[in-house]
Amino acid sequence: MEPLPAPSPTSVRITGDHYQWLIAWTGCLTLLRENAIHAANPVTSVGVEADDAGNLDDVVLLRCTPPHTYVQVKYTVSSATPVNEEYLTKPSPTGGPSILKKIARTWRTLTADGIDVDLAIITNRAPDPNDPLIAVRDSRTQLLLPKAADGTARSKAGKARTRWAENAGLSEIELHGLLSCLRFDVSRELPHVQEQLQLLMAVSGLRHDSHAVDEGANWVAQQVRDGHRTLTLDMIKAAVDSLNLKTGPARAILSIATLKPDLLADEADHTINWVERFETDSEYTKRRPLAPSTWTQLQEDIEAAPAHLLGSTNISVTGSIRLAPAFLTGAAFRMVSGVDLAVLQRGQLWSTSDTYDADFAPIVEEHDIGHGEDLAVGINVTVRPADFTQDVVDYLREQNIPASKLLILTPPAGPNDGSVSDSHAANALAVGIRDALRRPTRTTPRIHLFLACPMGLALLLGHRWNRLRPTVVYEDVRTAQGYEPAFVIPA
């Protein structure tokens, strides 16, 4: 790719404005979704360049009850200036107060009556890893505390706290109060914001292609040009209708992350974050929990999720999980619960409520194992048949799994990347697989289940796993033994 020319001042300004409108559209979607699912304390309006919000007026989310959220959006086309003490404490280009001082003044005003607030700087600038306070930011909360409060007054952190307090015009106790509610949402590159918006639009029941994202941001820009600084639920609903964005119901969000952080974790109604509790640093090689964490603990967390989402009948599962946890998640919200589960798969929203014309009856192959009375089942949608079957047979025999035989089930068209094209086909195949297994498993003590399929199909299959025997679900851990038992799911 040829290098782009240096951006003009106009280009920088336009891109910065668009970045702000995208952040504001994110707030609009939060308002829309939270009201649709009857969240406990939903956003009631979105302010853009709002009045009475001081230097944190770029985007304001007002809720039924505090804390309200006040955001300053900072965009740059250059990576030369990271977020650090120098950036936060230097005077403005015209010699005015620093960013930190402006935020401190706004914080004092907003909290004068003892009201809690949620403050944020959202920027595509990266954090400075060498800054004594910024470097200890907690990525889960985006706050500098509690680690920024560590160290004596003579430590690097202590001296930095003193300088920050002096620049902000605060006592160190007041600085602690500010840092307890000031989030540093950094490294939010434009593509990252757009990707998050696509996910959020999908779970909000809206079109979620890149054009739809731009339509939403452009609508915000038009409201600002027309002088509307407060965007209400009725205004946003009318915009969704006029832009023809609506595709389905808004959903509660269940975020489950084991491979990499979930872009929608902050928006989620319930979050299970196991990224640091799985082996290896690479999302591509994370296969199983890192001791002392166990599959049993993960199962307990996933099976507790329905209690956290009581009353939610439409739920979207976001994040990054492998096949065994996906199957377990579907089973935790089984069809009899009346919940419609959905997950984004291949750019489409695969939902358990999607209809289909006829079941896809799978092709069934039987292999003798002769080790006991249980039944082993392999669901193969994506792997070369000979490879998958041999891997499972080898594991069953080497580990002496008490199975009498192995049934390999494949789609009617055979296993390949295109054999399950969409949500309708996935539901048809899930029902076909379940029905094909009901008679063979009627008298077997247990099922040993091995999966090689799209993650969305594993979720849909677990959701429909009823009238079947207790099931041990195995995960492909890519070790010498190949698989290991992950979860035991009751009948």
Side-chain angles (χ1 to χ4, degrees), residues 183-203:
R183 294 183 290 109
F184 289 82
D185 192 348
V186 292
S187 296
R188 288 282 297 275
E189 295 288 355
L190 190 56
H192 171 98
V193 173
Q194 292 168 326
E195 182 183 358
Q196 182 192 39
L197 268 170
Q198 287 184 279
L199 294 172
L200 188 54
M201 291 182 76
V203 302

Side-chain angles (χ1 to χ4, degrees), residues 222-243:
Q222 185 62 54
Q223 304 314 299
V224 175
R225 287 193 292 269
D226 291 344
H228 300 301
R229 296 190 177 192
T230 300
L231 309 179
T232 65
L233 177 60
D234 287 342
M235 293 171 67
I236 298 166
K237 283 183 174 179
V240 166
D241 290 340
S242 65
L243 296 172

Side-chain angles (χ1 to χ4, degrees), residues 36-59:
I37 67 169
H38 306 292
N41 186 27
V43 175
T44 56
S45 67
V46 178
V48 186
E49 299 183 355
D51 295 324
D52 303 321
N55 199 54
L56 292 157
D57 64 343
D58 289 341
V59 178

Side-chain angles (χ1 to χ4, degrees), residues 303-310 333:
E303 290 182 336
H308 294 277
L309 295 169
L310 287 176
F333 293 89

Side-chain angles (χ1 to χ4, degrees), residues 136-427:
V136 297
R137 168 182 169 273
D138 189 327
S139 61
R140 299 166 299 177
T141 64
Q142 302 173 341
L143 297 173
L144 304 189
L145 295 180
K147 289 188 177 180
D150 293 343
T152 66
R154 294 185 178 182
S155 67
K156 286 185 177 181
K159 291 176 180 178
R161 289 195 301 268
T162 299
R163 293 191 299 269
W164 281 41
E166 290 175 352
N167 183 271
L170 303 174
S171 68
E172 289 205 32
I173 293 177
E174 289 175 317
L175 178 67
H176 190 282
L178 172 60
L179 295 184
S180 69
C181 62
L182 176 58
R183 294 183 290 109
F184 289 82
D185 192 348
V186 292
S187 296
R188 288 282 297 275
E189 295 288 355
L190 190 56
H192 171 98
V193 173
Q194 292 168 326
E195 182 183 358
Q196 182 192 39
L197 268 170
Q198 287 184 279
L199 294 172
L200 188 54
M201 291 182 76
V203 302
S204 299
L206 307 181
R207 283 194 292 114
H208 54 278
D209 55 275
S210 59
H211 180 63
V213 170
D214 287 340
E215 284 183 299
N218 292 340
W219 176 80
V220 172
Q222 185 62 54
Q223 304 314 299
V224 175
R225 287 193 292 269
D226 291 344
H228 300 301
R229 296 190 177 192
T230 300
L231 309 179
T232 65
L233 177 60
D234 287 342
M235 293 171 67
I236 298 166
K237 283 183 174 179
V240 166
D241 290 340
S242 65
L243 296 172
N244 295 315
L245 295 177
K246 192 72 175 176
T247 60
R251 298 175 177 275
I253 299 175
L254 169 60
S255 170
I256 307 177
T258 63
L259 308 180
K260 61 180 179 179
D262 181 13
L263 291 177
L264 290 188
D266 291 340
E267 297 284 343
D269 301 282
H270 182 58
T271 301
I272 300 173
N273 182 4
W274 270 59
V275 173
E276 301 300 326
R277 299 172 70 178
F278 259 58
E279 289 182 345
T280 83
D281 294 327
S282 169
E283 65 190 77
Y284 301 105
T285 56
K286 287 179 182 287
R287 295 278 171 177
R288 58 184 176 184
L290 176 65
S293 299
T294 65
W295 289 113
T296 299
Q297 291 170 328
L298 179 57
Q299 180 165 358
E300 291 172 353
D301 285 355
I302 292 175
E303 290 182 336
H308 294 277
L309 295 169
L310 287 176
S312 298
T313 55
N314 298 292
I315 298 172
S316 184
V317 179
T318 67
S320 53
I321 51 178
R322 295 202 180 275
L323 299 180
F327 183 91
L328 174 63
T329 302
F333 293 89
R334 291 194 198 185
M335 201 170 186
V336 294
S337 68
V339 170
D340 172 25
L341 280 184
V343 67
L344 203 62
Q345 181 79 45
R346 299 172 179 169
Q348 306 169 356
L349 201 66
W350 286 14
S351 165
T352 57
S353 66
D354 284 337
T355 58
Y356 52 91
D357 293 331
D359 299 351
F360 283 179
I363 298 171
V364 181
E365 295 181 358
E366 183 174 318
H367 301 267
D368 182 63
I369 302 299
H371 282 179
E373 297 181 350
D374 293 353
L375 179 70
V377 174
I379 311 297
N380 182 17
V381 176
T382 56
V383 180
R384 286 178 56 189
D387 293 344
F388 177 73
T389 300
Q390 192 61 55
D391 287 347
V392 176
V393 167
D394 289 347
Y395 176 80
L396 293 171
R397 289 174 175 165
E398 290 169 3
Q399 300 299 316
N400 201 30
I401 302 299
S404 60
K405 57 186 175 180
L406 166 67
L407 300 183
I408 298 291
L409 283 69
T410 59
N416 60 73
D417 287 341
S419 59
V420 182
S421 57
D422 56 25
S423 179
H424 307 286
N427 276 285

